[in-house]
Amino acid sequence: MFYPPLAYIATALFELPLAGLHLNPDTRFILGIYASQVLCGVTAFAWLKRDFRIRTAFIGSLLYVLLPYKFVYIYMHFNLAQLWALAFLPLWMLGAEKLAAGDGARAAAIFALSGAATYYSHPPTVVAFGAVPVCYTLWFARRRFGVWAWLAFACGLMAGLCLMLALPQRQYLSWIHEEDFLSGKFDWRGNLDHVDILLCSYYGMI
């Protein structure tokens, strides 16, 4: 298992109304990419509209969808998993903002579930960006220890949800044959386009 299942489950759900068309795998993959980008816009707008006017939030969400960084994963890597992970990041930030505002249990649930959804889509995205919502909450919470407690609870809940996937993956690493990925032209360690290998000790967990 090179990627967690959520991105592919979400893609399959979006394509369920088209099941009778018997689409080929390439078309399904492309539709999954489009669906993830629509969700990107929706989640970014849901977060930004809390602090900005509707027009500004709409423009900001559109810019998030059109990030040049994403085009690398669409046209070079065809990385469906990371595109879905980026769709959950705004919800994670929304949870952080609600925590900092003192919303308590509901905010903690949004924070934990969206962070876990990001992990269940693409773990290196959590490694790369996970500190941002935590630091955001701590910075704006100031010295309100109640917010700190809810943040700790949210992080613990998220960690538990992530371990529900990570621990079984560890048990089945013997099923992953990565010899071909560590030799010749397929050696990911020598490919700077795939720096995510530097973030994990083995590619099977990505």
Side-chain angles (χ1 to χ4, degrees):
M1 180 187 294
F2 289 98
Y3 291 101
L6 183 57
Y8 305 97
I9 293 173
T11 296
L13 290 175
F14 269 96
E15 294 170 358
L16 192 59
L18 305 176
L21 299 179
H22 304 290
L23 301 174
N24 63 60
D26 289 342
T27 303
R28 293 177 181 177
F29 217 82
I30 292 171
L31 288 176
I33 289 175
Y34 286 149
S36 70
Q37 296 315 290
V38 170
L39 185 61
C40 270
V42 172
T43 56
F45 181 78
W47 171 41
L48 293 173
K49 73 176 183 177
R50 284 178 55 91
D51 301 307
F52 301 97
R53 296 178 180 178
I54 297 297
R55 182 179 179 181
T56 305
F58 177 79
I59 294 173
S61 61
L62 184 61
L63 291 174
Y64 183 68
V65 171
L66 297 175
L67 276 176
Y69 171 74
K70 290 184 178 181
F71 290 104
V72 174
Y73 284 94
I74 293 174
Y75 294 108
M76 289 181 61
H77 299 173
F78 223 46
N79 194 332
L80 181 66
Q82 182 154 12
L83 291 171
W84 276 99
L86 292 175
F88 295 118
L89 278 181
L91 289 181
W92 200 358
M93 290 302 302
L94 177 63
E97 188 168 345
K98 285 179 172 289
L99 274 176
D103 285 0
R106 179 177 296 181
I110 295 173
F111 185 100
L113 290 174
S114 55
T118 305
Y119 181 87
Y120 273 63
S121 300
H122 193 250
T125 300
V126 176
V127 176
F129 299 104
V132 176
V134 174
C135 292
Y136 182 96
T137 305
L138 291 174
W139 178 264
F140 288 101
R142 304 299 179 184
R143 295 183 178 275
R144 288 178 291 163
F145 297 105
V147 174
W148 292 10
W150 279 115
L151 175 61
F153 173 78
C155 289
L157 179 59
M158 175 186 160
L161 292 171
C162 292
L163 286 174
M164 290 173 64
L165 175 68
L167 291 179
Q169 276 187 320
R170 290 285 300 183
Q171 294 178 354
Y172 292 100
L173 282 179
S174 60
W175 292 14
I176 301 172
H177 302 286
E178 58 181 14
E179 295 83 3
D180 292 338
F181 294 100
L182 300 176
S183 61
K185 65 180 181 179
F186 296 110
D187 190 346
W188 300 103
R189 296 170 298 180
N191 189 340
L192 294 179
D193 288 336
H194 296 82
V195 293
D196 46 14
I197 192 63
L198 301 177
L199 302 178
C200 297
S201 58
Y202 46 86
Y203 199 75
M205 282 293 291
I206 296 176

